[in-house]
Amino acid sequence: MNKYMKDAYFIALGLVGNREDALDLSQEAFVRAYRNINQVKPGRGFFPWFYQILKNLCISHLRKRKRSQAGSLDVEGRPEPAASVDEFSPDTVVGKDETKNEVWKAIGKLEPKHREVIVLRHFRNMSYEQIAETLFCNKGTVTSRLYYARKRLKELLST
Amino acid sequence: MVCEDYKDQLMGYLDNELSDQQRRRFEEHLAGCSDCTAELEEFKKLKAITDEVSLVEPEERIWQEYWSGIYNRIERGIGWIMFSVAAIALSIYGGFRAIEELIRDPNVEIVLKIGLLALIAGLAILFVSVLRERLYFWKTDRYKDVRR
């Protein structure tokens, strides 16, 4: 369970960029998982199911944060929000290094579907197979998302 | 610009996710494609700097208190549910008894009694109406199983 604890925390951190929020959201995800544990489908692992709960909480948190920052109501059918770049602060990254901070901020600017593959691959060292299982998609989708995520990251870092 | 057919292979090569056969085939392609070779080099640099980014590990105290924090939330959640259910049940019971006494009291004017009964009947109709509407929408909502 301690591996899940660290995975949950660091994935949430990668998605929302803020340590306090990551701790709160990852714990809340475990509470919701506990309440709905009977929904885990037999034959499917706990973690992919849990990841969906965690991701939904993070996305919903980003929406709320965006709404409160904008100070106005959002509309239905809106796209998934990018994290606020201010939240991707340098104190989250090990070592005081300008390049690392730039990369971390650029990750914060990625769309969530791109950010999540970067987080799972780079910060949790997951294989393509594990990422595909976690995201309920095939390996082809993972490679394709990684390609576009890295391409976008490259663009963000070159501007 | 990378060749469209080799996009996935490029990522697999970069992350060491290709089989030996796929790797050999991709290397053969790289030998004759300067665009893919250039793109691979750029991606290698990007991967190297991204791999260098590691996130600060929280203090040991945070990990030690992690599960007790979750336990507390679950406990408080159960506490709140019990409290809410009991408060609603007691309010309904108390309200019912108070109204009953008021209706039975011969000193209370008949107009007040009728008004009170009409108020309760109106609230009950509103409640049933909203409940029925919610149930109807829930049953006919095609997207209810879709996770947002």
Side-chain angles (χ1 to χ4, degrees), chain A residues 9-78:
Chain A
Y9 170 78
F10 283 111
I11 289 170
L13 184 58
L15 293 179
V16 300
N18 172 299
R19 287 195 281 180
E20 286 76 27
D21 291 342
L23 185 66
D24 180 51
L25 290 163
S26 65
Q27 287 186 314
E28 185 58 29
F30 278 112
V31 172
R32 295 200 184 187
Y34 172 79
R35 285 187 193 142
N36 299 290
I37 197 74
N38 57 338
Q39 287 177 13
V40 182
K41 291 189 177 143
R44 280 190 172 172
F46 168 79
F47 192 75
W49 174 78
F50 171 77
Y51 176 77
Q52 297 305 314
I53 297 176
L54 181 64
K55 183 169 96 171
N56 286 341
L57 275 171
C58 292
I59 299 278
S60 151
H61 171 80
L62 292 176
R63 278 201 186 113
K64 277 184 208 154
R65 200 158 69 189
K66 202 180 173 190
R67 267 207 299 267
S68 65
Q69 279 167 355
S72 62
L73 286 175
D74 211 338
V75 289
E76 284 298 320
R78 63 248 173 204

